[in-house]
């Protein structure tokens, strides 16, 4: 039996919103692309609402599922609400993660926060 929930497996096999974005309104990078797991998040913001998210990721199956469900949690929320999405919310939305994989949710929540901060300070890194 898999250590992952069916939701984790489904999101890992069919990651939502993965990809690139032209002229994003904010970009967040969390982790180190050179030597480990990392996530790059692009957000589209209209009237203070996150209307679209794309991301590129290098990580384990759990981190991919976390990034995927993060986009579902954040799209449609205003920036304040999206900023409050924590690792725990991502883990709960996936129906749980094995103890030794809980840290994988950091990428999703932190990458999103970085992208929002980047947008708020109106400095988009290319
Ligand atoms: Fe490093 Fe999952 S992101 S083990």
């Amino acid at each position: 039996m898999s250590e992952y929930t069916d939701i984790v497996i489904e999101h890992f096999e069919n990651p939502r919103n993965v990809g690139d974005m032209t002229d994003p309104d904010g970009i967040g990078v969390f982790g180190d692309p050179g030597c480990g797991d990392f996530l790059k998040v692009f957000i589209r913001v209209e009237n203070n609402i996150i209307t679209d998210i794309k991301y590129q990721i290098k990580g384990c199956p759990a981190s991919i599922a976390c990034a995927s469900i993060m986009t579902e949690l954040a799209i449609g929320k205003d920036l304040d609400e999206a900023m409050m999405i924590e690792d725990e919310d991502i883990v709960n939305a996936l129906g749980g993660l094995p103890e030794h994989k809980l840290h994988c949710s950091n990428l999703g929540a932190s990458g999103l926060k970085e992208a929002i901060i980047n947008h708020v300070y109106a400095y988009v890194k290319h």
Side-chain angles (χ1 to χ4, degrees):
M1 197 176 125
S2 170
E3 61 178 345
Y4 293 126
T5 67
D6 290 347
I7 307 173
V8 172
I9 293 168
E10 204 279 318
H11 273 268
F12 167 60
E13 290 181 342
N14 306 288
R16 319 294 197 269
N17 299 304
V18 70
D20 205 350
M21 184 183 286
T22 307
D23 296 329
D25 296 311
I27 298 176
V29 177
F30 194 77
D32 185 341
C35 65
D37 301 324
F38 93 105
L39 175 68
K40 187 171 189 179
V41 178
F42 307 91
I43 56 172
R44 175 88 54 230
V45 181
E46 290 166 30
N47 299 322
N48 215 42
I49 304 284
I50 297 182
T51 58
D52 195 16
I53 302 178
K54 293 282 186 277
Y55 60 91
Q56 297 166 348
I57 188 165
K58 178 174 160 230
C60 70
S63 68
I64 292 168
C66 287
S68 173
I69 209 153
M70 172 275 287
T71 67
E72 293 198 330
L73 292 174
I75 292 173
K77 286 195 166 60
D78 70 31
L79 294 177
D80 289 342
E81 291 173 321
M83 197 68 184
M84 285 165 42
I85 295 172
E86 302 293 348
D87 300 350
E88 191 181 22
D89 299 314
I90 290 173
V91 172
N92 289 340
L94 288 171
L97 280 176
E99 188 73 27
H100 67 286
K101 287 286 182 181
L102 287 175
H103 71 278
C104 307
S105 60
N106 295 351
L107 286 180
S110 299
L112 174 63
K113 289 183 201 302
E114 290 291 323
I116 294 170
I117 290 167
N118 178 241
H119 168 70
V120 169
Y121 288 97
Y123 174 64
V124 177
K125 294 169 260 182
H126 291 283

